[in-house]
Amino acid sequence: NAGVTQTPKFQVLKTGQSMTLQCAQDMNHNSMYWYRQDPGMGLRLIYYSASEGTTDKGEVPNGYNVSRLNKREFSLRLESAAPSQTSVYFCASSISSGNTIYFGEGSWLTVV
Amino acid sequence: GIQVEQSPPDLILQEGANSTLRCNFSDSVNNLQWFHQNPWGQLINLFYIPSGTKQNGRLSATTVATERYSLLYISSSQTTDSGVYFCAVLRDDKIIFGKGTRLHILP
């Protein structure tokens, strides 16, 4: 019973490097989300996908791109990592945008 | 955009005490959820509560949508209740979180 799976769990990047965070859900959910969590800031929405084939900006989209590869998978890409992108990243999904959301376990990213 | 304010930001209680956490939001919302983040970072959904009152064991939640607030009640606190409690609101397909209440339950 995997739920929402994120990879990698930990990553260290150098400034300017690129990487992709992968997220997959096995609950047949339509909506998927990417959040970042920084100390004292709560969770801030980066991008979301209300349904397969659509993506939209959230509160803090700058420096990120996303791809809704299919119904199961929603990836987050950092094209040129910056130290300000050091954070914990959470992927989440829900059966539709108005329903209970379920989170992955998080990905700890450090940019040096 | 919509603002979500949680209070208090921090709360320290003795085991067995009761507590009330508050979530205010600045505009009408489609729904509201409460989450608990444990000390290991895992986020668990507690309640999906766009309006009314729900109870689950020692926890209960009430949302008064017309007055734009929600309350989370924790009774007879246990050390395992420690962590951060978040409320999150849905508006225009976006789920927006408050900054959370950090709860410490002392044995």
Side-chain angles (χ1 to χ4, degrees):
Chain A
N1 194 6
V4 180
T5 304
Q6 297 179 227
T7 56
K9 203 167 185 66
F10 301 96
Q11 184 74 49
V12 178
L13 285 178
K14 293 183 179 178
T15 298
Q17 286 185 319
S18 62
M19 78 158 297
T20 300
L21 296 173
Q22 307 283 357
C23 176
Q25 51 88 11
D26 62 2
M27 296 176 282
N28 201 33
H29 284 175
N30 293 299
S31 301
M32 298 186 73
Y33 312 86
W34 275 106
Y35 290 88
R36 61 177 288 173
Q37 185 175 24
D38 303 294
M41 298 296 293
L43 284 90
R44 293 182 292 171
L45 182 64
I46 305 172
Y47 272 92
Y48 66 102
S49 172
S51 61
E52 185 180 0
T54 69
T55 60
D56 285 286
K57 295 178 180 179
E59 302 170 273
V60 288
N62 291 346
Y64 304 94
N65 286 302
V66 291
S67 296
R68 183 74 184 265
L69 303 170
N70 47 55
K71 191 172 185 178
R72 290 186 64 247
E73 298 172 289
F74 188 39
S75 63
L76 178 72
R77 183 160 179 84
L78 287 69
E79 290 291 350
S80 179
S84 60
Q85 294 178 303
T86 293
S87 190
V88 182
Y89 291 85
F90 286 95
C91 178
S93 71
S94 63
I95 190 161
S96 70
S97 60
N99 291 92
T100 301
I101 62 173
Y102 298 88
F103 281 90
E105 294 187 340
S107 297
W108 275 253
L109 176 65
T110 300
V111 183
V112 297
Chain B
I2 192 167
Q3 304 298 312
V4 182
E5 302 287 338
Q6 291 188 242
S7 60
D10 293 279
L11 189 57
I12 301 174
L13 296 172
Q14 207 70 37
E15 195 169 27
N18 301 327
S19 58
T20 300
L21 282 57
R22 188 176 181 101
C23 174
N24 292 332
F25 39 97
S26 61
D27 208 340
S28 61
V29 298
N30 303 106
N31 71 44
L32 185 143
Q33 302 180 49
W34 283 97
F35 294 86
H36 175 222
Q37 187 171 38
N38 65 25
W40 297 271
Q42 189 179 16
L43 282 153
I44 304 297
N45 187 286
L46 297 175
F47 293 102
Y48 173 89
I49 184 164
S51 62
T53 297
K54 290 186 177 179
Q55 181 153 8
N56 184 2
R58 297 181 295 103
L59 274 61
S60 64
T62 295
T63 297
V64 184
T66 53
E67 297 188 21
R68 299 179 185 168
Y69 74 89
S70 183
L71 302 173
L72 178 69
Y73 306 95
I74 305 173
S75 64
S76 304
S77 300
Q78 299 176 359
T79 55
T80 52
D81 295 330
S82 295
V84 184
Y85 290 81
F86 292 102
C87 69
V89 301
L90 172 70
R91 184 173 169 90
D92 301 332
D93 286 338
K94 295 180 182 179
I95 299 178
I96 304 300
F97 281 73
K99 294 184 179 180
T101 292
R102 184 172 295 276
L103 179 63
H104 301 268
I105 304 298
L106 304 175

